Amino acid sequence: MKLIGLVFGTAFGFVLSAALLTDYNVIHRMLLFKDWQPFLIMGSAVAIAVPGLRLLKRVGWVTPLGGPLTFSPSTVQRHHVVGSLLFGTGWAIAGTCPGPAAAMLGSGRVMGIFIVAGIFSGILLRDAMVARATARPAAVSPEPLGVGL
Amino acid sequence: MIDLLPDRLPWFIAGPLLGCLIVGLFAIGNRPMGSLGAYIQTVSAVRGGAPEPWRVWFFGGMILGGFLVAILGGGPPAGLAFGALGEELSTPVLALVLLAGGLLIGFGARWAGGCTMGHGLCGTAILSRGSMVATAVFMSAAVAVSFLIHVVVGGRL
């Protein structure tokens, strides 16, 4: 599975970089509705994946490394909304999201280091907050940690 | 540097390729693809053990993929440049802004349980309601804040 992770990660980083999704101007202009290509990329990716996954499910596909194919869709929870508001704000400020930020490092866009460092710090901070809330039963009930897609 | 790649891989190639990667990872390993998960597992690995070590390799792959594009002559130029934002801010200020942005991205996406790949593409592709709502919220927030930035700096960004 490690090799699969490396291959898929490499292909993913390659596509993100080659499609210029690692470029601040492209993402910023996308979010101002001046560049529609990133939206079309997202839309066409989902448009391919939905029927592809549905077909695998229909034929009862058994995966070579992970057993029978299972999807775990989630119901709408408060954390989906609150977390995403913060994430979207950060996305607009840095003009990127976690995948392209990692790809920036490989392509020598040095400033990406600060974004990646920020993302790691944010994850650690959130985990520390949840751990604290869990340790004190009287405190605000912690949001469940998602699977981290 | 070799010049093999177009300046910009068109959306009708990039998008379907990403879709195939999502389907492929489910077909081979029965796992949802996600960028944030790769960061989370990398953090876990450093702290002493990742439940899904393959995601650490995925993280390394994302960096390697960017590197391959750079040596094949595609993508934006390397260096300290950071597009229009880099022209607007001095390098130390830019570094702080990017660190703050990254912090919000990591903190928020960790809270939301996924990012653009995990919720936006993969979660949406398995028709997960939570992912669809998360995607609608972070896209709307990103658009709103981008327009706010655009107005605040007098249209320069």
Side-chain angles (χ1 to χ4, degrees):
Chain A
M1 195 66 203
K2 285 176 181 171
L3 180 65
I4 300 298
L6 182 66
V7 169
F8 276 78
T10 305
F12 181 48
F14 188 95
V15 173
L16 294 179
S17 260
L20 299 195
L21 299 182
T22 49
D23 190 274
Y24 173 83
N25 290 356
V26 169
I27 300 300
H28 186 61
R29 284 171 53 79
M30 162 206 187
L31 295 171
L32 295 175
F33 300 127
K34 288 175 179 169
D35 187 341
W36 289 89
Q37 284 222 27
F39 288 115
L40 291 167
I41 288 174
M42 293 178 72
S44 57
V46 173
I48 292 286
V50 168
L53 293 174
R54 186 165 284 197
L55 183 71
L56 284 178
K57 197 75 187 166
R58 182 163 296 176
V59 300
W61 183 261
V62 178
T63 68
L65 298 178
L69 189 65
T70 42
F71 303 139
S72 328
S74 55
T75 54
V76 183
Q77 311 276 331
R78 186 173 153 269
H79 70 96
H80 287 125
V81 176
V82 184
S84 294
L85 277 174
L86 297 172
F87 167 40
T89 304
W91 182 5
I93 292 171
T96 192
C97 48
M104 273 182 205
L105 295 188
S107 51
R109 257 148 294 147
V110 182
M111 298 311 285
I113 290 171
F114 295 100
I115 306 169
V116 170
I119 295 174
F120 276 124
S121 311
I123 292 170
L124 287 167
L125 192 64
R126 175 66 199 153
D127 284 353
M129 269 179 63
V130 172
R132 246 185 97 180
T134 316
R136 286 190 206 164
V140 198
S141 70
E143 294 291 337
L145 286 177
V147 285
L149 292 175
Chain B
M1 192 186 274
I2 327 156
D3 207 11
L4 279 177
L5 286 172
D7 289 338
R8 184 179 192 177
L9 194 65
W11 68 269
F12 51 84
I13 297 175
L17 277 176
L18 293 182
C20 291
L21 289 176
I22 294 170
V23 177
L25 191 56
F26 264 120
I28 297 171
N30 198 16
R31 298 305 298 148
M33 201 162 122
S35 310
L36 185 76
Y39 281 78
I40 294 171
Q41 296 294 321
T42 304
V43 167
S44 304
V46 172
R47 283 172 146 188
E52 291 194 86
W54 71 270
R55 291 198 188 269
V56 181
W57 289 76
F58 188 94
F59 187 78
M62 290 195 288
I63 298 174
L64 180 61
F67 176 71
L68 290 178
V69 172
I71 56 171
L72 293 175
L80 287 170
F82 202 80
L85 191 64
E87 289 161 24
E88 194 66 28
L89 304 172
S90 67
T91 303
V93 177
L94 176 64
L96 284 175
V97 166
L98 294 181
L99 193 66
L103 199 70
L104 276 168
I105 294 170
F107 188 85
R110 180 65 173 124
W111 198 341
C115 58
T116 322
M117 183 67 210
H119 276 321
L121 301 187
C122 195
T124 300
I126 63 166
L127 309 179
S128 163
R129 293 291 168 84
S131 292
M132 289 181 193
V133 167
T135 307
V137 172
F138 66 65
M139 299 273 289
S140 307
V143 166
V145 175
S146 293
F147 273 98
L148 189 70
I149 292 170
H150 180 72
V151 171
V152 166
V153 301
R156 290 194 304 277
L157 281 174

PDB file of all heavy atoms in Angstrom, chain B residues 113-146:
ATOM      1  N   GLY B 113     -12.743  17.898   8.966  1.00  0.00           N
ATOM      2  CA  GLY B 113     -12.527  16.502   8.605  1.00  0.00           C
ATOM      3  C   GLY B 113     -12.125  16.288   7.163  1.00  0.00           C
ATOM      4  O   GLY B 113     -12.195  15.165   6.661  1.00  0.00           O
ATOM      5  N   GLY B 114     -11.695  17.342   6.479  1.00  0.00           N
ATOM      6  CA  GLY B 114     -11.265  17.157   5.096  1.00  0.00           C
ATOM      7  C   GLY B 114     -11.045  18.481   4.398  1.00  0.00           C
ATOM      8  O   GLY B 114     -11.434  19.538   4.893  1.00  0.00           O
ATOM      9  N   CYS B 115     -10.394  18.410   3.225  1.00  0.00           N
ATOM     10  CA  CYS B 115     -10.075  19.629   2.479  1.00  0.00           C
ATOM     11  C   CYS B 115     -10.716  19.563   1.089  1.00  0.00           C
ATOM     12  O   CYS B 115     -11.699  18.870   0.887  1.00  0.00           O
ATOM     13  CB  CYS B 115      -8.560  19.788   2.391  1.00  0.00           C
ATOM     14  SG  CYS B 115      -7.748  18.384   1.613  1.00  0.00           S
ATOM     15  N   THR B 116     -10.139  20.268   0.155  1.00  0.00           N
ATOM     16  CA  THR B 116     -10.710  20.344  -1.192  1.00  0.00           C
ATOM     17  C   THR B 116     -10.736  18.964  -1.856  1.00  0.00           C
ATOM     18  O   THR B 116     -11.688  18.618  -2.548  1.00  0.00           O
ATOM     19  CB  THR B 116      -9.888  21.317  -2.050  1.00  0.00           C
ATOM     20  OG1 THR B 116      -9.503  22.409  -1.236  1.00  0.00           O
ATOM     21  CG2 THR B 116     -10.702  21.824  -3.215  1.00  0.00           C
ATOM     22  N   MET B 117      -9.670  18.200  -1.638  1.00  0.00           N
ATOM     23  CA  MET B 117      -9.630  16.852  -2.219  1.00  0.00           C
ATOM     24  C   MET B 117     -10.565  15.919  -1.452  1.00  0.00           C
ATOM     25  O   MET B 117     -11.431  15.269  -2.032  1.00  0.00           O
ATOM     26  CB  MET B 117      -8.186  16.325  -2.163  1.00  0.00           C
ATOM     27  CG  MET B 117      -8.018  14.973  -2.800  1.00  0.00           C
ATOM     28  SD  MET B 117      -8.275  15.079  -4.576  1.00  0.00           S
ATOM     29  CE  MET B 117      -8.916  13.468  -4.899  1.00  0.00           C
ATOM     30  N   GLY B 118     -10.387  15.848  -0.134  1.00  0.00           N
ATOM     31  CA  GLY B 118     -11.128  14.870   0.671  1.00  0.00           C
ATOM     32  C   GLY B 118     -12.629  15.094   0.645  1.00  0.00           C
ATOM     33  O   GLY B 118     -13.396  14.175   0.346  1.00  0.00           O
ATOM     34  N   HIS B 119     -13.044  16.301   0.988  1.00  0.00           N
ATOM     35  CA  HIS B 119     -14.475  16.605   0.981  1.00  0.00           C
ATOM     36  C   HIS B 119     -14.943  17.014  -0.418  1.00  0.00           C
ATOM     37  O   HIS B 119     -15.950  16.531  -0.908  1.00  0.00           O
ATOM     38  CB  HIS B 119     -14.784  17.754   1.958  1.00  0.00           C
ATOM     39  CG  HIS B 119     -14.964  17.318   3.378  1.00  0.00           C
ATOM     40  ND1 HIS B 119     -15.608  16.154   3.727  1.00  0.00           N
ATOM     41  CD2 HIS B 119     -14.594  17.906   4.556  1.00  0.00           C
ATOM     42  CE1 HIS B 119     -15.630  16.047   5.050  1.00  0.00           C
ATOM     43  NE2 HIS B 119     -15.010  17.088   5.577  1.00  0.00           N
ATOM     44  N   GLY B 120     -14.178  17.938  -1.038  1.00  0.00           N
ATOM     45  CA  GLY B 120     -14.623  18.559  -2.282  1.00  0.00           C
ATOM     46  C   GLY B 120     -14.756  17.572  -3.424  1.00  0.00           C
ATOM     47  O   GLY B 120     -15.743  17.587  -4.158  1.00  0.00           O
ATOM     48  N   LEU B 121     -13.752  16.720  -3.606  1.00  0.00           N
ATOM     49  CA  LEU B 121     -13.791  15.791  -4.738  1.00  0.00           C
ATOM     50  C   LEU B 121     -14.194  14.389  -4.296  1.00  0.00           C
ATOM     51  O   LEU B 121     -15.180  13.832  -4.762  1.00  0.00           O
ATOM     52  CB  LEU B 121     -12.432  15.747  -5.452  1.00  0.00           C
ATOM     53  CG  LEU B 121     -11.919  17.075  -6.018  1.00  0.00           C
ATOM     54  CD1 LEU B 121     -10.662  16.842  -6.845  1.00  0.00           C
ATOM     55  CD2 LEU B 121     -12.973  17.763  -6.866  1.00  0.00           C
ATOM     56  N   CYS B 122     -13.432  13.812  -3.353  1.00  0.00           N
ATOM     57  CA  CYS B 122     -13.651  12.404  -3.008  1.00  0.00           C
ATOM     58  C   CYS B 122     -14.964  12.202  -2.248  1.00  0.00           C
ATOM     59  O   CYS B 122     -15.769  11.349  -2.597  1.00  0.00           O
ATOM     60  CB  CYS B 122     -12.463  11.897  -2.192  1.00  0.00           C
ATOM     61  SG  CYS B 122     -12.423  10.126  -2.083  1.00  0.00           S
ATOM     62  N   GLY B 123     -15.181  13.015  -1.203  1.00  0.00           N
ATOM     63  CA  GLY B 123     -16.408  12.889  -0.412  1.00  0.00           C
ATOM     64  C   GLY B 123     -17.642  13.172  -1.253  1.00  0.00           C
ATOM     65  O   GLY B 123     -18.657  12.485  -1.139  1.00  0.00           O
ATOM     66  N   THR B 124     -17.532  14.175  -2.110  1.00  0.00           N
ATOM     67  CA  THR B 124     -18.649  14.501  -2.984  1.00  0.00           C
ATOM     68  C   THR B 124     -18.902  13.350  -3.964  1.00  0.00           C
ATOM     69  O   THR B 124     -20.049  13.017  -4.252  1.00  0.00           O
ATOM     70  CB  THR B 124     -18.357  15.811  -3.745  1.00  0.00           C
ATOM     71  OG1 THR B 124     -18.164  16.844  -2.768  1.00  0.00           O
ATOM     72  CG2 THR B 124     -19.499  16.205  -4.657  1.00  0.00           C
ATOM     73  N   ALA B 125     -17.829  12.717  -4.426  1.00  0.00           N
ATOM     74  CA  ALA B 125     -17.969  11.620  -5.394  1.00  0.00           C
ATOM     75  C   ALA B 125     -18.659  10.400  -4.789  1.00  0.00           C
ATOM     76  O   ALA B 125     -19.322   9.644  -5.501  1.00  0.00           O
ATOM     77  CB  ALA B 125     -16.609  11.228  -5.961  1.00  0.00           C
ATOM     78  N   ILE B 126     -18.518  10.197  -3.462  1.00  0.00           N
ATOM     79  CA  ILE B 126     -19.259   9.076  -2.841  1.00  0.00           C
ATOM     80  C   ILE B 126     -20.608   9.571  -2.313  1.00  0.00           C
ATOM     81  O   ILE B 126     -21.269   8.894  -1.527  1.00  0.00           O
ATOM     82  CB  ILE B 126     -18.451   8.358  -1.731  1.00  0.00           C
ATOM     83  CG1 ILE B 126     -18.147   9.300  -0.561  1.00  0.00           C
ATOM     84  CG2 ILE B 126     -17.168   7.749  -2.270  1.00  0.00           C
ATOM     85  CD1 ILE B 126     -17.656   8.567   0.685  1.00  0.00           C
ATOM     86  N   LEU B 127     -20.993  10.774  -2.726  1.00  0.00           N
ATOM     87  CA  LEU B 127     -22.299  11.369  -2.403  1.00  0.00           C
ATOM     88  C   LEU B 127     -22.492  11.501  -0.896  1.00  0.00           C
ATOM     89  O   LEU B 127     -23.580  11.247  -0.372  1.00  0.00           O
ATOM     90  CB  LEU B 127     -23.437  10.550  -3.038  1.00  0.00           C
ATOM     91  CG  LEU B 127     -23.284  10.259  -4.538  1.00  0.00           C
ATOM     92  CD1 LEU B 127     -24.464   9.424  -5.041  1.00  0.00           C
ATOM     93  CD2 LEU B 127     -23.179  11.540  -5.349  1.00  0.00           C
ATOM     94  N   SER B 128     -21.423  11.913  -0.202  1.00  0.00           N
ATOM     95  CA  SER B 128     -21.494  12.138   1.233  1.00  0.00           C
ATOM     96  C   SER B 128     -22.098  13.520   1.495  1.00  0.00           C
ATOM     97  O   SER B 128     -21.575  14.532   1.047  1.00  0.00           O
ATOM     98  CB  SER B 128     -20.085  12.048   1.821  1.00  0.00           C
ATOM     99  OG  SER B 128     -20.042  12.629   3.094  1.00  0.00           O
ATOM    100  N   ARG B 129     -23.212  13.533   2.231  1.00  0.00           N
ATOM    101  CA  ARG B 129     -23.896  14.804   2.505  1.00  0.00           C
ATOM    102  C   ARG B 129     -23.003  15.767   3.289  1.00  0.00           C
ATOM    103  O   ARG B 129     -22.944  16.957   3.009  1.00  0.00           O
ATOM    104  CB  ARG B 129     -25.188  14.563   3.305  1.00  0.00           C
ATOM    105  CG  ARG B 129     -26.254  13.824   2.543  1.00  0.00           C
ATOM    106  CD  ARG B 129     -26.810  14.709   1.436  1.00  0.00           C
ATOM    107  NE  ARG B 129     -27.627  13.940   0.506  1.00  0.00           N
ATOM    108  CZ  ARG B 129     -28.920  13.659   0.705  1.00  0.00           C
ATOM    109  NH1 ARG B 129     -29.522  14.080   1.787  1.00  0.00           N
ATOM    110  NH2 ARG B 129     -29.595  12.961  -0.178  1.00  0.00           N
ATOM    111  N   GLY B 130     -22.301  15.223   4.286  1.00  0.00           N
ATOM    112  CA  GLY B 130     -21.415  16.061   5.088  1.00  0.00           C
ATOM    113  C   GLY B 130     -20.348  16.722   4.226  1.00  0.00           C
ATOM    114  O   GLY B 130     -20.058  17.905   4.362  1.00  0.00           O
ATOM    115  N   SER B 131     -19.767  15.941   3.303  1.00  0.00           N
ATOM    116  CA  SER B 131     -18.739  16.474   2.407  1.00  0.00           C
ATOM    117  C   SER B 131     -19.305  17.550   1.499  1.00  0.00           C
ATOM    118  O   SER B 131     -18.658  18.562   1.228  1.00  0.00           O
ATOM    119  CB  SER B 131     -18.142  15.351   1.558  1.00  0.00           C
ATOM    120  OG  SER B 131     -17.396  14.472   2.362  1.00  0.00           O
ATOM    121  N   MET B 132     -20.515  17.332   1.005  1.00  0.00           N
ATOM    122  CA  MET B 132     -21.113  18.314   0.097  1.00  0.00           C
ATOM    123  C   MET B 132     -21.361  19.636   0.814  1.00  0.00           C
ATOM    124  O   MET B 132     -21.079  20.711   0.267  1.00  0.00           O
ATOM    125  CB  MET B 132     -22.433  17.769  -0.466  1.00  0.00           C
ATOM    126  CG  MET B 132     -22.242  16.639  -1.458  1.00  0.00           C
ATOM    127  SD  MET B 132     -23.846  16.094  -2.087  1.00  0.00           S
ATOM    128  CE  MET B 132     -23.393  14.574  -2.892  1.00  0.00           C
ATOM    129  N   VAL B 133     -21.846  19.560   2.050  1.00  0.00           N
ATOM    130  CA  VAL B 133     -22.075  20.782   2.822  1.00  0.00           C
ATOM    131  C   VAL B 133     -20.737  21.453   3.132  1.00  0.00           C
ATOM    132  O   VAL B 133     -20.587  22.670   2.961  1.00  0.00           O
ATOM    133  CB  VAL B 133     -22.857  20.468   4.113  1.00  0.00           C
ATOM    134  CG1 VAL B 133     -22.839  21.649   5.066  1.00  0.00           C
ATOM    135  CG2 VAL B 133     -24.286  20.090   3.774  1.00  0.00           C
ATOM    136  N   ALA B 134     -19.749  20.668   3.557  1.00  0.00           N
ATOM    137  CA  ALA B 134     -18.420  21.227   3.840  1.00  0.00           C
ATOM    138  C   ALA B 134     -17.886  21.946   2.602  1.00  0.00           C
ATOM    139  O   ALA B 134     -17.379  23.069   2.689  1.00  0.00           O
ATOM    140  CB  ALA B 134     -17.462  20.114   4.268  1.00  0.00           C
ATOM    141  N   THR B 135     -18.016  21.319   1.439  1.00  0.00           N
ATOM    142  CA  THR B 135     -17.520  21.905   0.197  1.00  0.00           C
ATOM    143  C   THR B 135     -18.231  23.223  -0.115  1.00  0.00           C
ATOM    144  O   THR B 135     -17.586  24.227  -0.440  1.00  0.00           O
ATOM    145  CB  THR B 135     -17.717  20.924  -0.979  1.00  0.00           C
ATOM    146  OG1 THR B 135     -17.133  19.669  -0.620  1.00  0.00           O
ATOM    147  CG2 THR B 135     -17.065  21.441  -2.244  1.00  0.00           C
ATOM    148  N   ALA B 136     -19.546  23.219   0.012  1.00  0.00           N
ATOM    149  CA  ALA B 136     -20.310  24.444  -0.260  1.00  0.00           C
ATOM    150  C   ALA B 136     -19.863  25.556   0.682  1.00  0.00           C
ATOM    151  O   ALA B 136     -19.692  26.706   0.267  1.00  0.00           O
ATOM    152  CB  ALA B 136     -21.807  24.163  -0.098  1.00  0.00           C
ATOM    153  N   VAL B 137     -19.615  25.207   1.960  1.00  0.00           N
ATOM    154  CA  VAL B 137     -19.238  26.226   2.946  1.00  0.00           C
ATOM    155  C   VAL B 137     -17.826  26.749   2.675  1.00  0.00           C
ATOM    156  O   VAL B 137     -17.612  27.962   2.619  1.00  0.00           O
ATOM    157  CB  VAL B 137     -19.352  25.668   4.382  1.00  0.00           C
ATOM    158  CG1 VAL B 137     -18.767  26.655   5.383  1.00  0.00           C
ATOM    159  CG2 VAL B 137     -20.797  25.356   4.726  1.00  0.00           C
ATOM    160  N   PHE B 138     -16.838  25.850   2.457  1.00  0.00           N
ATOM    161  CA  PHE B 138     -15.476  26.391   2.292  1.00  0.00           C
ATOM    162  C   PHE B 138     -15.296  27.117   0.955  1.00  0.00           C
ATOM    163  O   PHE B 138     -14.560  28.090   0.870  1.00  0.00           O
ATOM    164  CB  PHE B 138     -14.369  25.382   2.612  1.00  0.00           C
ATOM    165  CG  PHE B 138     -14.209  24.167   1.722  1.00  0.00           C
ATOM    166  CD1 PHE B 138     -13.839  24.269   0.396  1.00  0.00           C
ATOM    167  CD2 PHE B 138     -14.353  22.889   2.270  1.00  0.00           C
ATOM    168  CE1 PHE B 138     -13.654  23.141  -0.390  1.00  0.00           C
ATOM    169  CE2 PHE B 138     -14.173  21.751   1.487  1.00  0.00           C
ATOM    170  CZ  PHE B 138     -13.828  21.881   0.159  1.00  0.00           C
ATOM    171  N   MET B 139     -16.014  26.675  -0.071  1.00  0.00           N
ATOM    172  CA  MET B 139     -15.931  27.406  -1.341  1.00  0.00           C
ATOM    173  C   MET B 139     -16.565  28.792  -1.201  1.00  0.00           C
ATOM    174  O   MET B 139     -16.007  29.791  -1.675  1.00  0.00           O
ATOM    175  CB  MET B 139     -16.649  26.629  -2.456  1.00  0.00           C
ATOM    176  CG  MET B 139     -16.077  25.255  -2.727  1.00  0.00           C
ATOM    177  SD  MET B 139     -14.721  25.197  -3.894  1.00  0.00           S
ATOM    178  CE  MET B 139     -15.553  25.529  -5.403  1.00  0.00           C
ATOM    179  N   SER B 140     -17.720  28.854  -0.552  1.00  0.00           N
ATOM    180  CA  SER B 140     -18.393  30.143  -0.366  1.00  0.00           C
ATOM    181  C   SER B 140     -17.539  31.073   0.480  1.00  0.00           C
ATOM    182  O   SER B 140     -17.393  32.261   0.166  1.00  0.00           O
ATOM    183  CB  SER B 140     -19.750  29.949   0.313  1.00  0.00           C
ATOM    184  OG  SER B 140     -20.509  29.005  -0.375  1.00  0.00           O
ATOM    185  N   ALA B 141     -16.960  30.529   1.561  1.00  0.00           N
ATOM    186  CA  ALA B 141     -16.113  31.349   2.431  1.00  0.00           C
ATOM    187  C   ALA B 141     -14.904  31.852   1.648  1.00  0.00           C
ATOM    188  O   ALA B 141     -14.531  33.031   1.750  1.00  0.00           O
ATOM    189  CB  ALA B 141     -15.672  30.530   3.647  1.00  0.00           C
ATOM    190  N   ALA B 142     -14.298  30.984   0.848  1.00  0.00           N
ATOM    191  CA  ALA B 142     -13.104  31.371   0.087  1.00  0.00           C
ATOM    192  C   ALA B 142     -13.443  32.462  -0.923  1.00  0.00           C
ATOM    193  O   ALA B 142     -12.685  33.426  -1.097  1.00  0.00           O
ATOM    194  CB  ALA B 142     -12.509  30.151  -0.618  1.00  0.00           C
ATOM    195  N   VAL B 143     -14.596  32.344  -1.587  1.00  0.00           N
ATOM    196  CA  VAL B 143     -15.015  33.362  -2.551  1.00  0.00           C
ATOM    197  C   VAL B 143     -15.289  34.678  -1.825  1.00  0.00           C
ATOM    198  O   VAL B 143     -14.802  35.749  -2.230  1.00  0.00           O
ATOM    199  CB  VAL B 143     -16.272  32.890  -3.329  1.00  0.00           C
ATOM    200  CG1 VAL B 143     -16.919  34.051  -4.076  1.00  0.00           C
ATOM    201  CG2 VAL B 143     -15.904  31.769  -4.295  1.00  0.00           C
ATOM    202  N   ALA B 144     -16.025  34.619  -0.720  1.00  0.00           N
ATOM    203  CA  ALA B 144     -16.388  35.835   0.023  1.00  0.00           C
ATOM    204  C   ALA B 144     -15.142  36.566   0.515  1.00  0.00           C
ATOM    205  O   ALA B 144     -15.003  37.781   0.332  1.00  0.00           O
ATOM    206  CB  ALA B 144     -17.302  35.474   1.189  1.00  0.00           C
ATOM    207  N   VAL B 145     -14.204  35.820   1.117  1.00  0.00           N
ATOM    208  CA  VAL B 145     -12.997  36.451   1.656  1.00  0.00           C
ATOM    209  C   VAL B 145     -12.122  36.988   0.514  1.00  0.00           C
ATOM    210  O   VAL B 145     -11.512  38.047   0.643  1.00  0.00           O
ATOM    211  CB  VAL B 145     -12.219  35.466   2.563  1.00  0.00           C
ATOM    212  CG1 VAL B 145     -10.907  36.074   3.029  1.00  0.00           C
ATOM    213  CG2 VAL B 145     -13.074  35.067   3.757  1.00  0.00           C
ATOM    214  N   SER B 146     -12.087  36.291  -0.619  1.00  0.00           N
ATOM    215  CA  SER B 146     -11.303  36.776  -1.764  1.00  0.00           C
ATOM    216  C   SER B 146     -11.840  38.106  -2.276  1.00  0.00           C
ATOM    217  O   SER B 146     -11.070  39.021  -2.584  1.00  0.00           O
ATOM    218  CB  SER B 146     -11.314  35.750  -2.897  1.00  0.00           C
ATOM    219  OG  SER B 146     -10.617  34.598  -2.504  1.00  0.00           O
TER     220      SER B 146
END
